[in-house]
Amino acid sequence: QVRLVESGGGLVQAGESLRLSCAASGSTFGTKTMGWYRQTPGEQRELVAVVSTSGSTSGSTDYADSVKGRFTISRDNAKNTVYLQMNSLKPEDTAVYYCNLKTWGNYNYWGQGTQVTVSS
């Protein structure tokens, strides 16, 4: 089993920054990617950013078009932690952000979610 603990959400004004953290513990051997998704009421959960943590593509990243140039995902493998630096936040970034860990067996683990609210 894997446990994901998120931190760093909050209320900010448009243009400000936040940094989310997600620490993984437990059976993290076999992790393929770690990433962040977000969800607003009535909408499907959407990918924000993902980073490959092992294999030939280790370190590669991918972002939703809506956050490219503003958000940066990074990882600390030694700490089993992934970060999401969010700059130039917009009201439309308001959502619950979920940490995700995907294994090579394509099993998904999720964090409990952290609220990010951006006021205009």
Side-chain angles (χ1 to χ4, degrees):
Q1 282 286 21
V2 171
R3 183 179 182 221
L4 302 175
V5 179
E6 301 136 335
S7 60
L11 170 64
V12 296
Q13 292 188 333
E16 294 184 341
S17 299
L18 277 175
R19 188 193 194 207
L20 305 183
S21 299
C22 173
S25 60
S27 302
T28 58
F29 179 81
T31 299
K32 181 181 181 181
T33 64
M34 290 187 72
W36 292 92
Y37 288 69
R38 66 187 181 188
Q39 188 171 24
T40 55
E43 299 293 327
Q44 287 191 333
R45 196 170 294 186
E46 63 173 4
L47 173 70
V48 176
V50 63
V51 59
S52 177
T53 58
S54 62
S56 60
T57 59
S58 180
S60 64
T61 59
D62 194 20
Y63 296 90
D65 287 342
S66 59
V67 307
K68 283 181 181 177
R70 300 188 298 123
F71 291 10
T72 302
I73 190 169
S74 60
R75 79 201 197 283
D76 184 333
N77 280 352
K79 296 181 179 180
N80 282 330
T81 299
V82 65
Y83 306 95
L84 185 68
Q85 178 67 42
M86 305 185 293
N87 298 330
S88 302
L89 282 161
K90 304 176 181 180
E92 51 263 43
D93 294 318
T94 295
V96 177
Y97 284 70
Y98 294 91
C99 180
N100 170 266
L101 184 152
K102 178 174 290 186
T103 70
W104 283 100
N106 283 328
Y107 189 84
N108 285 291
Y109 292 94
W110 297 95
Q112 79 282 4
T114 185
Q115 177 71 45
V116 172
T117 302
V118 184
S119 64
S120 59

